[in-house]
Amino acid sequence: GAVVSQHPSWVICKSGTSVKIECRSLDFQATTMFWYRQFPKQSLMLMATSNEGSKATYEQGVEKDKFLINHASLTLSTLTVTSAHPEDSSFYICSAQGRGRGTYEQYFGPGTRLTVT
Amino acid sequence: QKEVEQNSGPLSVPEGAIASLNCTYSDRVSQSFFWYRQYSGKSPELIMSIYSNGDKEDGRFTAQLNKASQYVSLLIRDSQPSDSATYLCAVNRGNYGQNFVFGPGTRLSVLP
């Protein structure tokens, strides 16, 4: 399958600081990237959808000023959790979809586990 | 009615048996359908995609789609303990990826 990477794979930060997570599509151009959050034993929750070169579309209840998404190129999207708090601790997963790897499938990155202390 | 529904399980089957996972969706205009496998603590992995009515086989996996009845299923033959995971059904309601909806997942446990 397609390769999508995420960095870092895990991060611990102090409350009030910001954390940036990178998502890269390694072998195809990702016209659309998705950001999900998953709490233990719960379902995936879509946070936002981003198209290359345009503003992200956030799901209802997701604060766009807190979760900053940038999709500046066809291979890179970033999620910045600003002023993180312990309740933001979760498993953040990106997925990518686009040209060259089947227009319809989403391929997931390995995820980033965020712990806010 | 939820857009994509799955039995949350757990579904327990003995090793070597056939595991049958079902998914129903509500939007008739849905175009494409996917099954993802998610191991505990890991991200989802695409295992099957299906776009037209009928069966699609890939190794021990068979996806079945019935658009008239709005259901899609996944059969896992010769189930192995390593198949124990949560299986997510996903439906794409549009021509491209803008309308992806995931089901809540079914937890499968294959007993040795």
Side-chain angles (χ1 to χ4, degrees), chain A residues 46-71:
Chain A
L46 178 65
M47 299 175 67
T49 302
S50 73
N51 294 301
E52 183 263 339
S54 59
K55 288 184 179 180
T57 301
Y58 290 80
E59 295 298 302
Q60 192 173 8
V62 178
E63 300 173 58
K64 60 179 69 176
D65 294 331
K66 181 170 182 62
F67 299 99
L68 303 178
I69 292 171
N70 183 282
H71 189 170

mmCIF file of all heavy atoms in Angstrom, chain A residues 46-71:
data_model
loop_
_atom_site.group_PDB
_atom_site.id
_atom_site.type_symbol
_atom_site.label_atom_id
_atom_site.label_comp_id
_atom_site.label_asym_id
_atom_site.label_seq_id
_atom_site.Cartn_x
_atom_site.Cartn_y
_atom_site.Cartn_z
ATOM 1 N N LEU A 46 -13.060 12.282 13.020
ATOM 2 C CA LEU A 46 -12.497 13.190 12.035
ATOM 3 C C LEU A 46 -12.464 14.603 12.604
ATOM 4 O O LEU A 46 -13.470 15.105 13.098
ATOM 5 C CB LEU A 46 -13.333 13.170 10.752
ATOM 6 C CG LEU A 46 -12.883 14.107 9.634
ATOM 7 C CD1 LEU A 46 -11.503 13.696 9.108
ATOM 8 C CD2 LEU A 46 -13.902 14.107 8.493
ATOM 9 N N MET A 47 -11.291 15.219 12.534
ATOM 10 C CA MET A 47 -11.152 16.581 13.035
ATOM 11 C C MET A 47 -11.299 17.586 11.889
ATOM 12 O O MET A 47 -11.989 18.592 12.016
ATOM 13 C CB MET A 47 -9.800 16.784 13.696
ATOM 14 C CG MET A 47 -9.554 15.888 14.888
ATOM 15 S SD MET A 47 -7.886 16.083 15.513
ATOM 16 C CE MET A 47 -7.936 17.756 16.139
ATOM 17 N N ALA A 48 -10.605 17.319 10.784
ATOM 18 C CA ALA A 48 -10.601 18.288 9.696
ATOM 19 C C ALA A 48 -10.127 17.632 8.416
ATOM 20 O O ALA A 48 -9.453 16.599 8.429
ATOM 21 C CB ALA A 48 -9.696 19.463 10.042
ATOM 22 N N THR A 49 -10.509 18.256 7.324
ATOM 23 C CA THR A 49 -10.107 17.830 5.990
ATOM 24 C C THR A 49 -9.379 18.988 5.336
ATOM 25 O O THR A 49 -9.861 20.131 5.390
ATOM 26 C CB THR A 49 -11.343 17.469 5.143
ATOM 27 O OG1 THR A 49 -12.063 16.431 5.807
ATOM 28 C CG2 THR A 49 -10.948 17.015 3.757
ATOM 29 N N SER A 50 -8.250 18.712 4.742
ATOM 30 C CA SER A 50 -7.529 19.803 4.093
ATOM 31 C C SER A 50 -7.150 19.441 2.670
ATOM 32 O O SER A 50 -6.741 18.321 2.388
ATOM 33 C CB SER A 50 -6.273 20.178 4.888
ATOM 34 O OG SER A 50 -5.262 19.207 4.754
ATOM 35 N N ASN A 51 -7.336 20.389 1.786
ATOM 36 C CA ASN A 51 -6.914 20.257 0.399
ATOM 37 C C ASN A 51 -5.682 21.120 0.188
ATOM 38 O O ASN A 51 -5.575 22.204 0.753
ATOM 39 C CB ASN A 51 -8.025 20.692 -0.547
ATOM 40 C CG ASN A 51 -9.211 19.772 -0.459
ATOM 41 O OD1 ASN A 51 -9.094 18.575 -0.693
ATOM 42 N ND2 ASN A 51 -10.359 20.303 -0.115
ATOM 43 N N GLU A 52 -4.792 20.625 -0.632
ATOM 44 C CA GLU A 52 -3.541 21.334 -0.869
ATOM 45 C C GLU A 52 -3.808 22.750 -1.345
ATOM 46 O O GLU A 52 -4.572 22.965 -2.277
ATOM 47 C CB GLU A 52 -2.716 20.562 -1.908
ATOM 48 C CG GLU A 52 -1.351 21.167 -2.192
ATOM 49 C CD GLU A 52 -1.346 22.035 -3.427
ATOM 50 O OE1 GLU A 52 -2.237 21.870 -4.273
ATOM 51 O OE2 GLU A 52 -0.423 22.858 -3.551
ATOM 52 N N GLY A 53 -3.196 23.691 -0.629
ATOM 53 C CA GLY A 53 -3.277 25.090 -1.026
ATOM 54 C C GLY A 53 -4.503 25.838 -0.567
ATOM 55 O O GLY A 53 -4.656 27.014 -0.880
ATOM 56 N N SER A 54 -5.384 25.181 0.167
ATOM 57 C CA SER A 54 -6.568 25.893 0.639
ATOM 58 C C SER A 54 -6.775 25.654 2.129
ATOM 59 O O SER A 54 -6.119 24.805 2.733
ATOM 60 C CB SER A 54 -7.809 25.466 -0.148
ATOM 61 O OG SER A 54 -8.033 24.088 -0.016
ATOM 62 N N LYS A 55 -7.668 26.405 2.712
ATOM 63 C CA LYS A 55 -7.910 26.300 4.147
ATOM 64 C C LYS A 55 -8.589 24.978 4.486
ATOM 65 O O LYS A 55 -9.383 24.458 3.698
ATOM 66 C CB LYS A 55 -8.794 27.456 4.620
ATOM 67 C CG LYS A 55 -8.103 28.802 4.639
ATOM 68 C CD LYS A 55 -9.020 29.878 5.201
ATOM 69 C CE LYS A 55 -8.309 31.217 5.239
ATOM 70 N NZ LYS A 55 -9.201 32.289 5.784
ATOM 71 N N ALA A 56 -8.291 24.502 5.670
ATOM 72 C CA ALA A 56 -8.893 23.243 6.111
ATOM 73 C C ALA A 56 -10.356 23.445 6.458
ATOM 74 O O ALA A 56 -10.775 24.525 6.876
ATOM 75 C CB ALA A 56 -8.135 22.707 7.317
ATOM 76 N N THR A 57 -11.107 22.376 6.298
ATOM 77 C CA THR A 57 -12.512 22.359 6.710
ATOM 78 C C THR A 57 -12.603 21.572 7.996
ATOM 79 O O THR A 57 -12.270 20.383 8.016
ATOM 80 C CB THR A 57 -13.385 21.702 5.634
ATOM 81 O OG1 THR A 57 -13.258 22.418 4.410
ATOM 82 C CG2 THR A 57 -14.843 21.681 6.077
ATOM 83 N N TYR A 58 -13.051 22.219 9.066
ATOM 84 C CA TYR A 58 -13.085 21.595 10.378
ATOM 85 C C TYR A 58 -14.458 20.985 10.647
ATOM 86 O O TYR A 58 -15.487 21.533 10.247
ATOM 87 C CB TYR A 58 -12.758 22.622 11.457
ATOM 88 C CG TYR A 58 -11.311 23.063 11.449
ATOM 89 C CD1 TYR A 58 -10.855 24.012 10.538
ATOM 90 C CD2 TYR A 58 -10.397 22.502 12.327
ATOM 91 C CE1 TYR A 58 -9.523 24.406 10.514
ATOM 92 C CE2 TYR A 58 -9.067 22.891 12.317
ATOM 93 C CZ TYR A 58 -8.635 23.841 11.404
ATOM 94 O OH TYR A 58 -7.325 24.216 11.382
ATOM 95 N N GLU A 59 -14.459 19.885 11.361
ATOM 96 C CA GLU A 59 -15.711 19.264 11.771
ATOM 97 C C GLU A 59 -16.313 20.066 12.929
ATOM 98 O O GLU A 59 -15.610 20.789 13.647
ATOM 99 C CB GLU A 59 -15.473 17.823 12.200
ATOM 100 C CG GLU A 59 -15.011 16.925 11.069
ATOM 101 C CD GLU A 59 -16.020 16.813 9.945
ATOM 102 O OE1 GLU A 59 -17.166 16.385 10.209
ATOM 103 O OE2 GLU A 59 -15.662 17.174 8.800
ATOM 104 N N GLN A 60 -17.596 19.908 13.064
ATOM 105 C CA GLN A 60 -18.301 20.635 14.121
ATOM 106 C C GLN A 60 -17.714 20.278 15.482
ATOM 107 O O GLN A 60 -17.479 19.098 15.769
ATOM 108 C CB GLN A 60 -19.789 20.276 14.078
ATOM 109 C CG GLN A 60 -20.658 21.164 14.924
ATOM 110 C CD GLN A 60 -22.145 20.874 14.700
ATOM 111 O OE1 GLN A 60 -22.508 19.912 14.025
ATOM 112 N NE2 GLN A 60 -22.994 21.714 15.250
ATOM 113 N N GLY A 61 -17.476 21.305 16.284
ATOM 114 C CA GLY A 61 -16.955 21.084 17.621
ATOM 115 C C GLY A 61 -15.444 21.093 17.707
ATOM 116 O O GLY A 61 -14.900 21.049 18.817
ATOM 117 N N VAL A 62 -14.758 21.152 16.584
ATOM 118 C CA VAL A 62 -13.295 21.213 16.588
ATOM 119 C C VAL A 62 -12.860 22.669 16.450
ATOM 120 O O VAL A 62 -13.238 23.334 15.488
ATOM 121 C CB VAL A 62 -12.705 20.365 15.445
ATOM 122 C CG1 VAL A 62 -11.182 20.470 15.436
ATOM 123 C CG2 VAL A 62 -13.141 18.922 15.569
ATOM 124 N N GLU A 63 -12.079 23.137 17.404
ATOM 125 C CA GLU A 63 -11.682 24.544 17.411
ATOM 126 C C GLU A 63 -10.566 24.789 16.403
ATOM 127 O O GLU A 63 -9.441 24.308 16.561
ATOM 128 C CB GLU A 63 -11.193 24.936 18.801
ATOM 129 C CG GLU A 63 -12.220 24.762 19.913
ATOM 130 C CD GLU A 63 -11.594 25.009 21.277
ATOM 131 O OE1 GLU A 63 -11.061 26.112 21.488
ATOM 132 O OE2 GLU A 63 -11.618 24.100 22.119
ATOM 133 N N LYS A 64 -10.856 25.569 15.398
ATOM 134 C CA LYS A 64 -9.858 25.821 14.362
ATOM 135 C C LYS A 64 -8.690 26.653 14.860
ATOM 136 O O LYS A 64 -7.584 26.567 14.323
ATOM 137 C CB LYS A 64 -10.503 26.488 13.144
ATOM 138 C CG LYS A 64 -11.150 27.816 13.410
ATOM 139 C CD LYS A 64 -11.734 28.406 12.138
ATOM 140 C CE LYS A 64 -12.936 27.586 11.679
ATOM 141 N NZ LYS A 64 -13.614 28.174 10.488
ATOM 142 N N ASP A 65 -8.907 27.465 15.886
ATOM 143 C CA ASP A 65 -7.811 28.276 16.417
ATOM 144 C C ASP A 65 -6.903 27.476 17.337
ATOM 145 O O ASP A 65 -5.786 27.892 17.631
ATOM 146 C CB ASP A 65 -8.365 29.476 17.189
ATOM 147 C CG ASP A 65 -9.085 30.441 16.274
ATOM 148 O OD1 ASP A 65 -8.700 30.513 15.072
ATOM 149 O OD2 ASP A 65 -10.027 31.110 16.725
ATOM 150 N N LYS A 66 -7.391 26.344 17.782
ATOM 151 C CA LYS A 66 -6.591 25.499 18.659
ATOM 152 C C LYS A 66 -5.835 24.433 17.856
ATOM 153 O O LYS A 66 -4.710 24.098 18.164
ATOM 154 C CB LYS A 66 -7.485 24.810 19.687
ATOM 155 C CG LYS A 66 -6.717 23.922 20.643
ATOM 156 C CD LYS A 66 -7.587 23.451 21.771
ATOM 157 C CE LYS A 66 -6.771 22.609 22.723
ATOM 158 N NZ LYS A 66 -5.677 23.379 23.342
ATOM 159 N N PHE A 67 -6.469 23.938 16.835
ATOM 160 C CA PHE A 67 -5.863 22.901 15.993
ATOM 161 C C PHE A 67 -5.610 23.513 14.607
ATOM 162 O O PHE A 67 -6.480 23.516 13.745
ATOM 163 C CB PHE A 67 -6.779 21.685 15.889
ATOM 164 C CG PHE A 67 -7.058 21.023 17.216
ATOM 165 C CD1 PHE A 67 -8.231 21.278 17.902
ATOM 166 C CD2 PHE A 67 -6.125 20.159 17.782
ATOM 167 C CE1 PHE A 67 -8.488 20.684 19.134
ATOM 168 C CE2 PHE A 67 -6.370 19.553 19.007
ATOM 169 C CZ PHE A 67 -7.553 19.816 19.684
ATOM 170 N N LEU A 68 -4.395 24.001 14.442
ATOM 171 C CA LEU A 68 -4.033 24.687 13.206
ATOM 172 C C LEU A 68 -3.530 23.678 12.185
ATOM 173 O O LEU A 68 -2.612 22.925 12.448
ATOM 174 C CB LEU A 68 -2.952 25.738 13.475
ATOM 175 C CG LEU A 68 -3.310 26.808 14.512
ATOM 176 C CD1 LEU A 68 -2.138 27.749 14.714
ATOM 177 C CD2 LEU A 68 -4.547 27.574 14.099
ATOM 178 N N ILE A 69 -4.138 23.693 11.016
ATOM 179 C CA ILE A 69 -3.771 22.749 9.966
ATOM 180 C C ILE A 69 -3.264 23.516 8.764
ATOM 181 O O ILE A 69 -3.886 24.465 8.304
ATOM 182 C CB ILE A 69 -4.964 21.865 9.592
ATOM 183 C CG1 ILE A 69 -5.300 20.942 10.763
ATOM 184 C CG2 ILE A 69 -4.669 21.061 8.328
ATOM 185 C CD1 ILE A 69 -6.581 20.172 10.595
ATOM 186 N N ASN A 70 -2.116 23.055 8.264
ATOM 187 C CA ASN A 70 -1.530 23.639 7.084
ATOM 188 C C ASN A 70 -1.234 22.539 6.078
ATOM 189 O O ASN A 70 -0.630 21.529 6.419
ATOM 190 C CB ASN A 70 -0.240 24.378 7.457
ATOM 191 C CG ASN A 70 0.376 25.083 6.260
ATOM 192 O OD1 ASN A 70 1.014 24.462 5.425
ATOM 193 N ND2 ASN A 70 0.155 26.376 6.172
ATOM 194 N N HIS A 71 -1.662 22.732 4.858
ATOM 195 C CA HIS A 71 -1.446 21.733 3.799
ATOM 196 C C HIS A 71 -0.802 22.475 2.630
ATOM 197 O O HIS A 71 -1.426 22.718 1.611
ATOM 198 C CB HIS A 71 -2.785 21.118 3.407
ATOM 199 C CG HIS A 71 -2.665 19.927 2.489
ATOM 200 N ND1 HIS A 71 -3.745 19.124 2.189
ATOM 201 C CD2 HIS A 71 -1.622 19.409 1.809
ATOM 202 C CE1 HIS A 71 -3.375 18.170 1.357
ATOM 203 N NE2 HIS A 71 -2.084 18.325 1.114
#
